[in-house]
Amino acid sequence: MLTHKHYCTYARVLLCFYDIVAIGFYYYCQELVETFVKPEYNLLIMLAKPFIKWVGGKSQLLDEIREKYPSKIEKYCEPFVGGGAVLFDVLNTFQPEEILINDINKELINTYSQIKNNCEVLISQLSEIQSIYKNHSVEENKDFFYEKRNRYNELKVNGNDSENLEKAVLFVFLNKTCFNGLYRVNSKGLFNVPFNNAKNPLLCDEDNLRACSNLLQNVEMKVGDYKGCKDFIDSDTFVYIDPPYRPLTQTAAFTSYSETGFSDKEQIELGNFITEISNKGAMVLASNSDPKNANENDNFFDDLYSQFKIKRVSASRMINSNAKKRGVINELLISNIASIF
């Protein structure tokens, strides 16, 4: 028969057990913090995401695209990096030993480079702009926007490398405060997107900029035509290709990817490039618009990529200035990785 003394003994044993569990859990949590906290920033390492809004950005299609990743990625190339949604997703998920990103937009790659190499100074300068913007009226901010746009174009024309950091700061600012985050240039190469009347945009996401900078440390960056990536790409490389989309209609061609544009001729040349690197053994995944959204009989990409697997996925069209004309359309995912389709 159990006595009061027995119950007291059991209680003491249970209390000791709970103490041991609590102490163990404390040290386990402490170890987690030491593992995942970056000391110089004193914050949990967060997953990086695009630091700009980009037309055709793939954030909304990441779930579909993730399903098409190879089981491991040791070497990665993105010849049209744009906003970098897939780039940062790959870097968050895998640890490629070699990474090459490229874009023909010199100012975009400069911004990636400044975030990689001068992140804290960029944050400081962008924070100053954010403070000014927050204390202005909408009309004052409109004037402020066009003042900064003029300054950006002045720096762009001058081409002085010593001013690359300021250009990058203005690039991010203009992206956050221009219409739909577009990057459009005129025939002279000058940025000409109007103000978006944003009242309180997040101009400087410090934590994300630092997370991006951390992941970009091992990334090689190039400016130029996508064909310049050919020598980097081999049979060990996973290549994601997200070129300027073929417009569904003439009026849909609102943006200019660069001063040169991207016509059907360039799309065909890109198709030949994809075939060439596929023949080298590279694992390739490409995106593009689906012409059948506008014309069911338009087989442009079905014919161009007839030797590849093609999947149609749903995406939201966000670029139209008329919200009523935005909606769900199909886009194409094209790949030579038969096992993932």
Side-chain angles (χ1 to χ4, degrees), residues 159-188:
N160 188 338
D161 288 346
S162 67
E163 297 170 324
N164 281 346
L165 178 60
E166 183 183 356
K167 266 194 297 183
V169 170
L170 293 177
F171 188 97
V172 176
F173 166 72
L174 292 172
N175 175 266
K176 303 286 187 179
T177 53
C178 74
F179 172 73
N180 270 358
L182 290 172
Y183 191 87
R184 182 185 64 187
V185 294
N186 61 21
S187 59
K188 296 180 180 179

Side-chain angles (χ1 to χ4, degrees), residues 241-252:
I241 296 178
D242 186 31
Y245 276 19
R246 185 176 187 247
L248 299 180
T249 64
Q250 289 300 313
T251 56

Side-chain angles (χ1 to χ4, degrees), residues 132-150 173-174 177-178 193-199 201:
I132 295 170
Y133 193 95
K134 286 178 67 175
N135 292 318
H136 278 176
S137 67
V138 173
E139 280 303 313
E140 287 173 324
N141 279 330
K142 183 176 181 180
D143 293 337
F144 187 62
F145 170 87
Y146 287 108
E147 173 191 325
K148 294 301 183 184
R149 193 180 79 171
N150 289 338
F173 166 72
L174 292 172
T177 53
C178 74
V193 182
F195 183 52
N196 68 0
N197 294 309
K199 293 182 179 179

Side-chain angles (χ1 to χ4, degrees), residues 64 67-68 309-313 331-334 341:
E64 291 276 1
E67 294 177 1
K68 311 298 182 287
K309 299 291 183 180
I310 298 177
K311 181 177 180 180
R312 286 172 164 83
V313 296
E331 292 189 7
L332 302 180
L333 291 179
I334 303 154
F341 273 73

